[in-house]
Amino acid sequence: MAHKTFVARKIIHPPIRCESTAMLFRNSSLVFFSSCSTGLSKYFKRLSSSNVYEEIKYYYDYKSPFTYLSFVPTIELEKFYRIKYRFLPYPFSAKSFGGKLEERSERDWAKVRYLYIDARRFANERGLIIRGPKKFFNSYLSLISGLYADQNNVFVDYSKLVFERFFKRELDIENIDELIKILNEVGLHNDNDFRHYVEHKGRIDFSLAAKEAEQDNVFGVPMLIIRGEPFWGNDRMEWVKKKLDKLGLNKSS
């Protein structure tokens, strides 16, 4: 009897109600556990599912204003949902926004300018600064630095600084020395280790990410992949939340 009471009051909260037939034999702990097996099974199934986190892929590019806009809202979803991210670099091509630079018509340039107008509208609503680019940047080196930061568990803090300073035009993402300064700010001080990573393992990791993006049919950033379903753009958060709710990943459920 003492053992039965301990299980009900100390381990299981709230207590599981057994069938009335079991309570008729409450002096037998064996019969008690047998009759409560269904309730225990359901309880521990719920307990187990509450500790399972869904892996979500997040494709990003530091030169993308819309990735910058999506970054913090995306990260904050972890506060409310049982999810964890895999951060994967994807350098979007200039050709996907108006074609080749040397072949763009005035109509093509108007499209590009409008995209930045929209980006600044979103940014102004949140007090962010997005300045137009002085040139088309190659983000390869910065994306490798993102992989390095991720492997050293400082990706979020590092990326916040890179995005903010790049779009204020205070950071050249093609300059390794400037990227190293930000890595130092977030606690990574082995500069030679990063330089070695850039020349060796970083290239391999970047290539693997590119192959995975191809398999996922990624065509732009930011893009979230949730169980194979893509969500593209900074303004898809409500749809993302509905998907996570449908999967039962809300921490409050």
Side-chain angles (χ1 to χ4, degrees):
M1 178 65 180
H3 180 67
K4 177 182 68 176
T5 304
F6 174 80
V7 172
R9 293 182 181 177
K10 299 297 183 180
I11 294 180
I12 301 175
H13 182 75
I16 294 173
R17 296 182 61 185
C18 295
E19 301 161 359
S20 58
T21 53
M23 300 310 292
L24 293 174
F25 299 93
R26 58 182 178 273
N27 290 326
S28 169
S29 59
L30 177 62
V31 175
F32 177 86
F33 279 111
S34 175
S35 301
C36 285
S37 61
T38 301
L40 285 167
S41 176
K42 290 180 179 179
Y43 174 79
F44 284 113
K45 185 176 181 180
R46 292 196 302 270
L47 182 63
S48 176
S49 64
S50 68
N51 293 323
V52 175
Y53 279 63
E54 182 83 8
E55 182 179 270
I56 296 176
K57 297 180 185 181
Y58 179 72
Y59 285 96
Y60 69 96
D61 189 357
Y62 287 127
K63 68 175 178 287
S64 160
F66 293 101
T67 304
Y68 178 30
L69 290 167
S70 79
F71 188 68
V72 169
T74 298
I75 296 303
E76 288 184 343
L77 290 178
E78 289 183 310
K79 297 178 182 177
F80 308 103
Y81 294 93
R82 294 187 297 276
I83 57 175
K84 60 180 180 179
Y85 290 108
R86 279 190 64 215
F87 299 106
L88 296 161
Y90 181 82
F92 78 86
S93 169
K95 291 188 292 184
S96 63
F97 292 92
K100 294 181 180 180
L101 295 178
E102 62 275 12
E103 297 177 0
R104 286 181 179 175
S105 65
E106 181 55 34
R107 184 184 180 87
D108 293 329
W109 281 112
K111 177 182 177 181
V112 173
R113 286 192 292 269
Y114 178 78
L115 288 173
Y116 263 90
I117 290 172
D118 263 359
R120 282 196 280 271
R121 285 170 175 156
F122 284 120
N124 290 337
E125 289 178 347
R126 292 167 47 195
L128 303 177
I129 295 175
I130 292 182
R131 295 195 170 102
K134 297 178 181 179
K135 65 173 186 176
F136 190 82
F137 286 88
N138 182 339
S139 56
Y140 171 77
L141 184 59
S142 66
L143 293 175
I144 288 186
S145 76
L147 287 167
Y148 182 79
D150 190 21
Q151 292 174 23
N152 286 277
N153 303 311
V154 294
F155 178 82
V156 172
D157 291 339
Y158 176 73
S159 296
K160 285 179 179 179
L161 292 175
V162 172
F163 278 125
E164 179 182 359
R165 293 180 188 175
F166 175 69
F167 283 102
K168 286 182 177 179
R169 303 311 170 195
E170 297 172 352
L171 170 68
D172 182 355
I173 57 173
E174 297 177 353
N175 187 317
I176 191 170
D177 292 323
E178 293 189 25
L179 294 171
I180 285 176
K181 288 180 181 178
I182 300 182
L183 288 171
N184 292 165
E185 285 186 53
V186 296
L188 301 182
H189 299 284
N190 193 336
D191 301 356
N192 290 332
D193 183 60
F194 172 62
R195 292 180 186 274
H196 185 269
Y197 178 80
V198 169
E199 295 299 327
H200 298 88
K201 189 173 183 297
R203 294 184 179 187
I204 297 173
D205 292 343
F206 187 85
S207 178
L208 290 173
K211 290 179 181 179
E212 190 163 350
E214 185 175 356
Q215 293 171 354
D216 287 334
N217 296 314
V218 176
F219 54 84
V221 288
M223 184 174 288
L224 292 171
I225 306 290
I226 305 175
R227 294 196 183 182
E229 184 176 351
F231 294 84
W232 177 50
N234 68 294
D235 53 350
R236 303 300 195 267
M237 284 298 103
E238 291 305 313
W239 292 346
V240 169
K241 291 176 183 177
K242 289 179 181 179
K243 176 68 174 182
L244 298 177
D245 286 334
K246 187 176 180 180
L247 293 173
L249 296 171
N250 196 309
K251 289 182 177 179
S252 63
S253 62

